[in-house]
Amino acid sequence: MFATRQAVTGAEEPIDLEEAKTQVRAIQDVDDEDDLIEQIIAAAREYCENITGRALKPCKIVAYPESTTERQRLPWIPVGAVEKMERRLETGEYQEIDAAEYEVDPEGGTLRIFAAGSEATGYRLTYQAGYASKDVPPLIRQAMLMLIGHWYQNRESVQIGAVASIEIELSTRNMLKQYKAWWY
């Protein structure tokens, strides 16, 4: 299923700047490297999202499901509120459909369209996904903190004689694997 993801304005990162600065042992009152640390926070979140299939920050998803009555996986979980479900008409316009014509399972992250295929040439589902900043599971938060600390200390892609980057990679992947969506 093809989907686009749009950031929600004002949504907070799962790890705030103060927490990240504590992790990397940066001086709280000095803001020399705040931009760098914020960039590393965003990169760590994105890394964890790409491994787990979970949106770790609230976002709006516009997904284009198949025209089938089979249960389909949604591209990003956890699923929040469904804004609307629309069918694409032969004219190319979209028409909103009633909630009784489809079912979204927020826990399983799936969609089922009951009357798929009738006069529709496609569908479009708009929904909210992601955790509130402090609702991200502790193990994912810890993986993010480990990545932030490692990437702050090791700013180059290669270090001669370093084994730590392999260990961090394996540790974080093993932590994140426990939260990996079943289709990822």
Side-chain angles (χ1 to χ4, degrees):
M1 174 183 319
F2 173 75
T4 61
R5 186 168 71 154
Q6 303 161 358
V8 173
T9 306
E12 295 178 16
E13 290 286 353
I15 306 293
D16 63 28
L17 181 61
E18 184 179 328
E19 193 175 3
K21 286 177 93 169
T22 299
Q23 176 71 15
V24 301
R25 296 181 177 95
I27 301 169
Q28 294 291 343
D29 298 342
V30 179
D31 61 0
D32 292 356
E33 294 189 321
D34 285 2
D35 289 342
L36 171 66
I37 296 170
E38 287 174 345
Q39 181 181 354
I40 293 171
I41 293 168
R45 175 189 39 82
E46 188 175 327
Y47 178 89
C48 293
E49 287 176 333
N50 290 337
I51 289 177
T52 63
R54 295 175 180 271
L56 302 180
K57 175 177 168 176
C59 59
K60 178 179 178 178
I61 307 295
V62 179
Y64 298 87
E66 304 293 324
S67 293
T68 178
T69 57
E70 298 291 320
R71 192 164 291 283
Q72 304 173 59
R73 67 168 182 82
L74 293 172
W76 290 98
I77 60 173
V79 176
V82 173
E83 290 183 14
K84 61 185 171 182
M85 176 72 168
E86 303 165 292
R87 77 170 48 91
R88 186 170 188 253
L89 305 173
E90 289 182 7
T91 62
E93 296 175 352
Y94 282 91
Q95 175 187 46
E96 193 164 347
I97 63 175
D98 189 72
E101 295 185 50
Y102 66 94
E103 173 187 60
V104 173
D105 174 10
E107 295 298 318
T110 60
L111 163 72
R112 182 167 177 224
I113 305 168
F114 297 123
S118 51
E119 70 265 7
T121 60
Y123 290 91
R124 178 169 64 190
L125 173 68
T126 305
Y127 69 97
Q128 299 293 323
Y131 293 99
S133 65
K134 298 305 176 195
D135 292 339
V136 173
L139 206 52
I140 296 176
R141 289 176 52 79
Q142 184 59 40
M144 283 185 65
L145 286 168
M146 288 173 63
L147 289 169
I148 290 165
H150 178 70
W151 290 343
Y152 181 81
Q153 294 296 328
N154 303 287
R155 299 180 192 187
E156 304 300 325
S157 60
V158 177
Q159 285 188 314
I160 305 301
V163 181
S165 52
I166 294 170
E167 291 172 4
I168 293 288
E169 173 83 13
L170 292 174
S171 297
T172 55
R173 282 194 178 269
N174 285 334
M175 293 166 81
L176 296 171
K177 192 172 11 175
Q178 297 176 53
Y179 285 94
K180 194 171 188 176
W182 60 269
W183 59 86
Y184 257 68

